[in-house]
Amino acid sequence: MRKLLALLTAGILLATCSAEGSADTSTTTTSAPDTTTTHAPPDTTTTVPPAMSSTTAVPDTTTTVTAQLGPEGSGCTPGTNVLPDGVWYGLVADFDDDGISFDLACWFSGDAATAAAAEDGEESPPPNDYYVRNQNAQLRELEVAPDTSVLWYLSGDPSDSQEGMFSEWVDFLETQDFQLAIWVTISNGEVTDIEEQWVP
C-alpha cells in the first residue's frame, strides 16, 4: 500500500512538472511573423510590357518590295495631263524663263530594269543596270517656282556637279544641244526642285 501511494505521489508530481514546463515554453515561444500585414504582394503590372498603342501601325513591307521592283519616282503613268505632287523622272524637251516642257518617262534599275527591258524586247539585263521606258511622246508644260534649286553636271561627270537657281540652269541649257534627263519635285502644282540624272 505504501508502495502504491509512493507511486501515485510520484506520478502526480511528474504530471505537475510537465504541465508547468509546457506553460513556460508557450510564453517564451515566438510565433511566425504575419507576412500578410507586413509585406504587400509584388506589383506585377510594372513587369508586363506596355501594350502596343492603337495608333501604332505595323510596317507595310509590301510597299518596300513594290518600290524596289517598280520604277523609281512617283510613277510614270499618272493618268492625267497634269502631274500630281510628287517626284517624277523625264526629259527636258524645251524650256524658258518660267518653266519647262517635260517628257515623262519611267526609270528602272536593278531587277526591275532587267524585267522591264525583257518585256519591251530590249537587251536584258540592260547595260549599266538601268532601263528607261518612254512609250508616250506627250509633253507636259511645268511651271517652275522662282526659288527652285537645280543640281546639274557641267561635263557629264558626277564629280563635276553644279547647284544653282533655275535661271542659272536655263543659261546652261542654252549652251547644250542634247536633252537632259532629270527628276522634278512638284509641290502644290509647280516644280520646286530639279536634279539631273547622271548616267554612265
Side-chain angles (χ1 to χ4, degrees):
M1 184 78 171
R2 257 184 214 172
K3 274 189 188 182
L4 182 58
L5 186 57
L7 284 174
L8 284 173
T9 304
I12 292 171
L13 278 173
L14 186 57
T16 303
C17 288
S18 293
E20 286 176 359
S22 65
D24 289 342
T25 52
S26 66
T27 57
T28 57
T29 301
T30 305
S31 61
D34 184 0
T35 55
T36 58
T37 58
T38 57
H39 301 288
D43 183 5
T44 55
T45 57
T46 58
T47 59
V48 176
M52 182 180 288
S53 167
S54 60
T55 59
T56 303
V58 178
D60 185 0
T61 54
T62 58
T63 302
T64 304
V65 172
T66 303
Q68 291 172 346
L69 297 180
E72 294 185 17
S74 296
C76 45
T77 53
T80 176
N81 291 335
V82 178
L83 289 182
D85 288 359
V87 180
W88 305 89
Y89 171 81
L91 303 172
V92 180
D94 201 359
F95 58 90
D96 60 28
D97 292 339
D98 300 316
I100 59 176
S101 291
F102 187 67
D103 182 8
L104 181 67
C106 305
W107 172 277
F108 297 90
S109 62
D111 291 342
T114 299
E119 287 174 9
D120 294 347
E122 302 292 339
E123 180 181 351
S124 180
N128 300 311
D129 202 36
Y130 77 90
Y131 178 71
V132 174
R133 175 183 286 160
N134 189 2
Q135 299 174 339
N136 188 334
Q138 178 184 1
L139 298 180
R140 290 173 169 83
E141 303 303 318
L142 304 182
E143 184 178 342
V144 177
D147 58 348
T148 293
S149 174
V150 184
L151 174 70
W152 72 93
Y153 303 104
L154 297 174
S155 62
D157 185 334
S159 64
D160 189 16
S161 64
Q162 175 74 36
E163 189 165 2
M165 302 305 292
F166 178 70
S167 58
E168 297 175 85
W169 184 58
V170 166
D171 292 340
F172 168 74
L173 289 180
E174 290 175 345
T175 67
Q176 307 302 305
D177 59 356
F178 58 88
Q179 286 186 323
L180 287 181
I182 61 171
W183 294 89
V184 296
T185 300
I186 298 180
S187 299
N188 297 320
E190 64 181 0
V191 176
T192 57
D193 188 74
I194 299 173
E195 185 172 336
E196 182 181 345
Q197 171 64 56
W198 179 82
V199 292

